[in-house]
Amino acid sequence: MIDVFTVIFERLSVEWPVFFEEKDTESFANDYIVFKLPPSSSTKYRDNLILEVTLWSYLEDRDTVHLEQKWAEVDKKLQHHMHLDDNQLLIFQKTSQGMIPDPDKNVRRRELRYLVKREERIDY
């Protein structure tokens, strides 16, 4: 799984801090990305992972243009991405996207979800 995390962090490197799972809200940055991998299905050599990517932005008198641009940039880096290395093949397919309401009127969130098909590389 470490190889999967490495690829995800590389693909999500878009000038915003990237965190796995949840971030401490006390150290809230203006813009950041959180991703998680909920439980998923697996077979002996294949995993179907769900990747949830949430972009967070605290507006502070800004509009949401920067957030929409980053949302599109992240999607472009992940959508249909294929990665092959010595250990695995990863294929990313977007399954959904949307806006997430937040109780704080200054916070905006956008979410992208992908099915990540992971095939373990086996040398015979």
Side-chain angles (χ1 to χ4, degrees):
M1 267 319 247
I2 291 174
D3 295 331
V4 174
F5 282 88
T6 302
V7 172
I8 292 171
F9 269 109
E10 287 172 2
R11 299 308 297 174
L12 291 177
S13 294
V14 289
E15 299 172 6
W16 284 17
V18 176
F19 302 94
F20 174 66
E21 289 289 334
E22 304 235 347
K23 180 179 178 323
D24 178 10
T25 56
E26 295 300 317
S27 57
F28 193 91
N30 280 348
D31 303 314
Y32 63 93
I33 298 170
V34 176
F35 77 90
K36 59 184 171 180
L37 295 164
S40 55
S41 64
S42 296
T43 60
K44 188 171 182 179
Y45 299 112
R46 182 173 181 165
D47 298 311
N48 286 324
L49 307 168
I50 300 297
L51 171 63
E52 296 178 354
V53 179
T54 307
L55 288 78
W56 292 73
S57 183
Y58 188 76
L59 295 182
E60 286 188 309
D61 300 325
R62 299 182 291 175
D63 59 19
T64 60
V65 171
H66 70 287
L67 179 59
E68 307 302 332
Q69 289 171 337
K70 196 59 66 177
W71 194 17
E73 182 180 352
V74 168
D75 186 42
K76 186 175 181 180
K77 289 187 82 171
L78 290 174
Q79 175 71 321
H80 303 299
H81 176 65
M82 293 174 52
H83 173 86
L84 178 64
D85 61 32
D86 292 339
N87 303 310
Q88 65 192 348
L89 168 66
L90 300 173
I91 301 171
F92 292 75
Q93 295 176 323
K94 184 164 64 173
T95 60
S96 66
Q97 67 179 21
M99 299 178 190
I100 303 173
D102 195 279
D104 185 338
K105 65 179 182 163
N106 288 313
V107 174
R108 297 293 184 273
R109 292 188 282 166
R110 303 294 185 265
E111 183 175 78
L112 294 159
R113 286 187 187 184
Y114 299 88
L115 171 63
V116 181
K117 297 178 180 179
R118 180 185 176 275
E119 300 250 358
E120 189 174 321
R121 190 162 183 173
I122 302 166
D123 294 326
Y124 294 100

